[in-house]
Amino acid sequence: MTSLPTQRFAWRTPKGKLPLPPGRFGLPIVGESISYLRDPARFMNQRQKQYGTIFKTHLFGRPTIVLIGADATRFLFTNESQRFEMTNTPSFEVLLGANSIGVKTGTAHQILRKQLFQAFEPRALAEYGTTIEDMTRRYLHKWERMGTLTWYCELKKYTLDIACKLFVNVETASDENLEKVYQTWSDGLLSIPIRFPGSKFDRAVRAREQLLALIDEMINQRQQHRNSNQDVLKILLQAQDEEGNRLSLEEVKDNVLGMLVAGHETLTSALTSLCLLLAQHPEVLQAARAEQEQLGLTQPLTQESLKQMTYLEQVLKEVLRMAPPVVRSGSRKVLESCEFGGYLIPQSWDVFYQIQETHQDQNVYAQAQRFDPERFAPDRAENKQKVFSYIPFGGGIRECLGKEFARLEMKVFAALLIREYHWELLPGQNLERVVLPFSRPHDGLKVKFWRRESGRV
Ligand code: HEM
């Protein structure tokens, strides 16, 4: 990968006439959006080969500068808020809602973030572990009974079930009706924001109203039964900032809804990639199993026992490096013209940081295309060579709020799965990676699944 000279990330007001980064804008109005949406990975690869790690394009109606690599992400993350501001496509803004953390900027974002974080503090996380473990066991038994399954669809139900139980204490997420409403809403996130009866966007807006009505009902129940179970909704209804201000009901509703999407689509993608990569690398699966057997931990899992699974931790990190779930994210508006790498970054353009391509930097990751959990072993720790070279959860003031929750769910799932079960890829399926809206294998990963006899597959 052609990279820019290091140490060129400091904020600089452009002096004299600087060139724009290389690149092209494509067609009038649509720019290069169609080629991007057709195959985002190819789009980025081709242009990176042609122009390097910083280039201009035109996406979703906006002139955009694409930034790849640790230096570029450091430049962005360390200047966020003063110099860059979150930007979303119009459909995202409407479907997430005006009070969602995803659309807030500046001080309003920081205050809201602190309040929402109360639902993901270590104390709160410690309470979620048991539910995740119970739900995981229930699903593993279900898949054992099924014998063959398409993992992406099943993992979507599993992660939605966990999110609904822990976020709003609803037990019926795999209820097909709710799943359909949710799916209609989620499909609208990448739609053209034009409302006419029956349009994708119109259906998504209606689905949003249905979901908000459901959350409303949950809030009423909480208000009537003060000693209800601890869940994210309850924590948010009680959360206060330093001055004792509480979140408004609208803020609670929009953010609970946002977390349902942020918190389950990403995890579905990560867990599907885990299952695929382990099936393709039996030596890694074997080593992860050996660690479980050597630890000989008794159930149920605890925070301490999870911490001891150091090899499994490396495997999970490598899965998120190789197949980061979030691809279409990370757009920011430039608030003030600046310079990066000798190029002008003009005011009011968008910048768009790239997670997948940053994780493929050969200067940081040896044989970057190889699945190699050992690269995260303490004696190699390749990701520590450069800050922001490992960014599956983004970085800076907008780093993923659910990062520790996601890591917990991934680890519990992986530990129980590899100890007791085995799976094989079914022949004749397309495993090619599709990356929008979230990364997954083309045919959803079809497998044969069974319980292991002790010590055997
Ligand atoms: C493997 C799972 C996950 C991945 C890979 C992931 C990835 C990301 C990324 C890359 C961002 C930053 C986007 C940007 O810079 O524009 C982000 C933000 C966010 N994530 Fe996650 N996420 C995951 C799970 C979760 C979960 C479980 C939750 C909540 C329950 C969550 C809630 C959020 C929120 C609220 C933000 C916005 C933070 C802000 O703007 O301050 N994520 N996530």
Side-chain angles (χ1 to χ4, degrees):
M1 162 159 148
T2 342
S3 55
L4 292 162
T6 46
Q7 306 306 323
R8 301 219 59 182
F9 47 77
W11 180 266
R12 256 181 237 137
T13 307
K15 289 202 182 76
K17 215 168 157 25
L18 286 173
L20 282 168
R24 54 187 186 262
F25 286 138
L27 298 168
I29 306 172
V30 289
E32 297 201 287
S33 312
I34 295 171
S35 341
Y36 172 78
L37 286 172
R38 202 178 291 136
D39 190 343
R42 199 161 151 212
F43 178 95
M44 290 300 163
N45 280 341
Q46 277 180 346
R47 280 154 187 78
Q48 188 182 343
K49 272 196 196 119
Q50 196 174 354
Y51 306 120
T53 51
I54 170 167
F55 57 86
K56 65 173 182 287
T57 174
H58 199 279
L59 296 176
F60 310 106
R62 318 242 334 123
T64 301
I65 290 178
V66 173
L67 298 173
I68 296 172
D71 290 337
T73 43
R74 183 171 178 188
F75 168 71
L76 177 64
F77 293 148
T78 53
N79 286 298
E80 177 128 35
S81 173
Q82 304 96 316
R83 323 283 185 182
F84 300 108
E85 189 174 271
M86 188 71 173
T87 144
N88 283 290
T89 58
S91 38
F92 250 80
E93 294 216 347
V94 174
L95 293 174
L96 286 180
N99 295 294
S100 160
I101 186 167
V103 304
K104 293 257 182 190
T105 55
T107 317
H109 167 255
Q110 280 168 35
I111 294 172
L112 181 59
R113 189 175 160 97
K114 271 196 196 152
Q115 286 171 308
L116 297 182
F117 185 69
Q118 296 177 29
F120 299 103
E121 279 174 339
R123 200 159 25 109
L125 286 181
E127 301 221 3
Y128 304 150
T130 318
T131 304
I132 297 176
E133 183 167 350
D134 291 348
M135 205 77 98
T136 308
R137 288 190 187 286
R138 213 182 296 164
Y139 268 86
L140 290 168
H141 288 144
K142 175 187 167 198
W143 298 332
E144 184 187 345
R145 286 195 301 276
M146 288 169 73
T148 58
L149 56 121
T150 303
W151 231 330
Y152 187 73
C153 308
E154 283 300 315
L155 284 166
K156 246 187 163 178
K157 293 183 209 254
Y158 161 78
T159 54
L160 185 59
D161 256 357
I162 292 185
C164 284
K165 176 73 189 149
L166 288 177
F167 297 0
V168 287
N169 203 17
V170 170
E171 293 272 2
T172 52
S174 56
D175 154 358
E176 279 187 10
N177 198 21
L178 178 60
E179 215 181 300
K180 267 191 207 143
V181 178
Y182 172 80
Q183 195 55 50
T184 309
W185 175 68
S186 166
D187 287 348
L189 293 170
L190 281 179
S191 66
I192 301 164
I194 300 176
R195 270 195 94 169
F196 56 86
S199 75
K200 212 178 195 181
F201 184 63
D202 180 64
R203 279 184 277 131
V205 174
R206 286 167 197 272
R208 170 181 151 84
E209 282 154 12
Q210 274 178 273
L211 291 167
L212 287 177
L214 177 81
I215 298 171
D216 231 0
E217 205 181 295
M218 296 299 131
I219 293 177
N220 284 336
Q221 282 182 16
R222 291 300 178 291
Q223 284 165 340
Q224 279 161 27
H225 305 100
R226 298 233 163 249
N227 49 356
S228 55
N229 284 351
Q230 186 77 334
D231 56 21
V232 167
L233 180 57
K234 189 172 174 189
I235 297 176
L236 296 186
L237 286 169
Q238 292 169 350
Q240 293 182 9
D241 66 14
E242 281 137 16
E243 271 117 49
N245 300 316
R246 288 181 189 269
L247 293 166
S248 69
L249 281 186
E250 297 312 311
E251 281 174 325
V252 171
K253 285 198 294 189
D254 276 359
N255 285 292
V256 166
L257 185 57
M259 280 182 202
L260 284 177
V261 71
H264 104 275
E265 302 259 19
T266 47
L267 272 161
T268 302
S269 163
L271 296 178
T272 308
S273 300
L274 168 77
C275 297
L276 173 62
L277 287 163
L278 286 181
Q280 291 173 325
H281 298 87
E283 71 294 350
V284 174
L285 175 58
Q286 194 44 45
R289 264 188 193 141
E291 178 183 66
Q292 294 296 318
E293 276 153 26
Q294 198 193 348
L295 287 170
L297 297 164
T298 49
Q299 291 149 2
L301 295 169
T302 60
Q303 298 280 332
E304 287 66 39
S305 59
L306 290 170
K307 261 192 217 137
Q308 292 176 53
M309 302 173 189
T310 51
Y311 183 71
L312 186 59
E313 182 68 38
Q314 288 170 214
V315 173
L316 299 177
K317 277 193 176 148
E318 179 66 341
V319 168
L320 293 177
R321 184 190 71 84
M322 290 281 287
V326 176
V327 170
R328 175 77 196 111
S329 181
S331 277
R332 306 289 191 271
K333 187 169 158 194
V334 183
L335 298 175
E336 192 187 319
S337 294
C338 58
E339 182 240 314
F340 177 71
Y343 294 115
L344 176 69
I345 314 285
Q347 183 178 8
S348 82
W349 283 36
D350 282 0
V351 290
F352 185 19
Y353 75 89
Q354 296 303 300
I355 300 176
Q356 172 78 36
E357 289 69 21
T358 298
H359 287 179
Q360 288 298 319
D361 188 344
Q362 303 283 357
N363 298 316
V364 176
Y365 297 108
Q367 296 182 298
Q369 296 198 337
R370 237 186 99 206
F371 180 64
D372 176 14
E374 289 299 335
R375 68 174 84 248
F376 290 104
D379 58 336
R380 276 176 64 192
E382 293 181 353
N383 58 317
K384 298 265 165 72
Q385 296 170 55
K386 248 184 175 186
V387 66
F388 296 125
S389 56
Y390 183 71
I391 48 165
F393 295 102
I397 58 166
R398 297 203 88 108
E399 190 185 27
C400 177
L401 202 68
K403 175 177 158 184
E404 293 309 323
F405 177 88
R407 293 180 59 220
L408 173 69
E409 189 170 321
M410 285 182 74
K411 211 162 187 185
V412 170
F413 172 86
L416 297 177
L417 173 77
I418 62 175
R419 275 187 201 174
E420 295 175 25
Y421 294 89
H422 198 74
W423 62 102
E424 239 171 49
L425 303 181
L426 291 177
Q429 60 179 314
N430 184 351
L431 293 173
E432 216 175 294
R433 192 163 161 232
V434 180
V435 295
L436 287 179
F438 293 94
S439 162
R440 65 193 186 282
H442 187 280
D443 287 351
L445 194 62
K446 297 171 197 287
V447 295
K448 187 171 153 210
F449 186 82
W450 67 95
R451 183 187 276 273
R452 298 168 66 216
E453 282 171 38
S454 157
R456 307 221 209 124
V457 290

